[in-house]
Amino acid sequence: VLVLDDVLYTGRTIRAVLNELFDYGRPASVRLAVLVDRGGRELPVQADFAAARVALPVAHSLALARGDSGTFQFQVQDKD
């Protein structure tokens, strides 16, 4: 099974995905691909494939958004 996520940060979203997968049976293998790995894991989860790795302060979030032209881009936002 290949799981694709936009931003890997704490690992909680991937943990929820794995829990759902295991509800249907145990796959032989699970690979994780992410667009951006920003580190800061709370769980022992690691991406097998990452398009980019960035370091951001904890006070910022990284979100994938669609622009007016229809293209996707990442936006750094304050958590305040």
Side-chain angles (χ1 to χ4, degrees), residues 19-42:
N19 287 340
E20 287 297 316
L21 281 173
F22 288 170
D23 284 348
Y24 293 97
R26 189 174 181 108
S29 70
V30 177
R31 307 289 301 265
L32 175 59
V34 297
L35 295 176
V36 176
D37 181 352
R38 65 170 285 186
R41 251 26 117 251
E42 293 175 2

Side-chain angles (χ1 to χ4, degrees), residues 37-77:
D37 181 352
R38 65 170 285 186
R41 251 26 117 251
E42 293 175 2
L43 299 170
V45 174
Q46 177 176 314
D48 296 297
F49 311 98
R53 298 184 194 281
V54 298
L56 291 175
V58 175
H60 291 84
S61 66
L62 190 64
L64 181 63
R66 181 180 284 197
D68 293 335
S69 65
T71 60
F72 288 97
Q73 58 192 358
F74 282 100
Q75 297 177 341
V76 176
Q77 303 168 342

